[in-house]
Amino acid sequence: MISEVQPSASGASTDAPEAGGTRTFGYVAVATLLVGLILGLGAGLVVPGLRTPGTDSVEAGFLRDMSTHHAQAVEMAMIAHTGSDTPDIITLSADIATTQQGQIGYMQAWLRDWDLSPTGTAEPMAWIPGSDGAIVNGLMPGMATPEQMAALRSATGKNLDIQFLTLMRAHHVGGVHMAQEAMDLSDNEDVDWLAESMVTAQQGEIQLIDSLLKKAQAS
């Protein structure tokens, strides 16, 4: 008579824990997945808010101040464009006015996108650490005084060309300094891109201004 082979007690005890272990592992995996999803959803809700610059941020301060700085450059460029008889001055002033007015558009649009006011309550350049001494009579670096702007408006001929080039050179030097500070302090890719483009363009224009100024003074 052939006897049936029964599973041993030890064999039975080995199978049971394996099945339980598989189920336990499955529960842990599902729980981990759920936690990950919850954290992911939470990050999706929170991180965009963290990435949006606030009203006291470096980015907001730079965009507001540079908009004001650019506005004066546009005004000076338009004075030269309409008043100068020198083709190179007319071309340069048109380029400056067009470029900087376009950049003002970028800066104001980003402030609106961030739900921020185009102007703030902070002092000019307060977003730059240790910049207290950079403001003179309320003017940011390179900006012309009201008296200098009045003189530029009334100037004609060679005198207009020299005044415009002299004032715009100082204006560009101040603007480059501000843009470089923004590049160093900001971690916003759009702001860094715009600041870098300002530095590149204005440094190139400073070289052209030096050449035109030397020519104007020698004539």
Side-chain angles (χ1 to χ4, degrees):
M1 179 178 176
I2 301 174
S3 61
E4 294 183 3
V5 178
Q6 300 294 330
S8 64
S10 60
S13 63
T14 301
D15 291 340
E18 287 182 354
T22 301
R23 285 194 296 271
T24 301
F25 176 79
Y27 296 150
V28 171
V30 171
T32 301
L33 178 61
L34 289 174
V35 170
L37 288 173
I38 292 170
L39 291 176
L41 289 173
L45 294 173
V46 174
V47 171
L50 293 177
R51 283 200 298 261
T52 300
T55 192
D56 296 325
S57 65
V58 167
E59 291 80 9
F62 169 67
L63 297 187
R64 288 165 176 157
D65 285 352
M66 191 57 86
S67 291
T68 300
H69 203 271
H70 270 24
Q72 189 185 68
V74 171
E75 183 182 359
M76 289 195 295
M78 292 307 299
I79 293 170
H81 185 70
T82 57
S84 178
D85 297 322
T86 306
D88 287 339
I89 300 293
I90 294 172
T91 299
L92 173 63
S93 59
D95 288 344
I96 291 173
T98 302
T99 298
Q100 298 208 14
Q101 187 61 51
Q103 291 173 344
I104 289 173
Y106 274 115
M107 293 187 285
Q108 293 299 302
W110 287 341
L111 288 170
R112 288 194 300 270
D113 289 345
W114 300 340
D115 293 323
L116 300 179
S117 170
T119 59
T121 57
E123 292 295 319
M125 296 180 67
W127 52 276
I128 302 178
S131 64
D132 296 344
I135 306 300
V136 179
N137 296 324
L139 297 174
M140 288 175 278
M143 292 188 71
T145 66
E147 294 76 18
Q148 288 173 323
M149 290 298 296
L152 180 64
R153 294 187 194 98
S154 62
T156 58
K158 175 182 174 179
N159 189 31
L160 170 62
D161 290 349
I162 291 176
Q163 284 193 48
F164 167 69
L165 293 172
T166 301
L167 292 175
M168 189 59 75
R169 189 188 193 286
H171 204 277
H172 273 11
V173 171
V176 167
H177 168 71
M178 291 171 62
Q180 288 173 331
E181 290 287 350
M183 290 168 61
D184 290 340
L185 297 172
S186 172
D187 58 2
N188 182 284
E189 292 182 358
D190 290 332
V191 171
D192 287 344
W193 163 78
L194 184 60
E196 183 176 6
S197 68
M198 290 176 183
V199 171
T200 301
Q202 293 187 35
Q203 284 180 336
E205 286 170 350
I206 287 172
Q207 294 180 356
L208 177 57
I209 287 171
D210 285 343
S211 174
L212 293 177
L213 191 55
K214 184 181 296 185
K215 185 185 300 185
Q217 291 170 335
S219 63

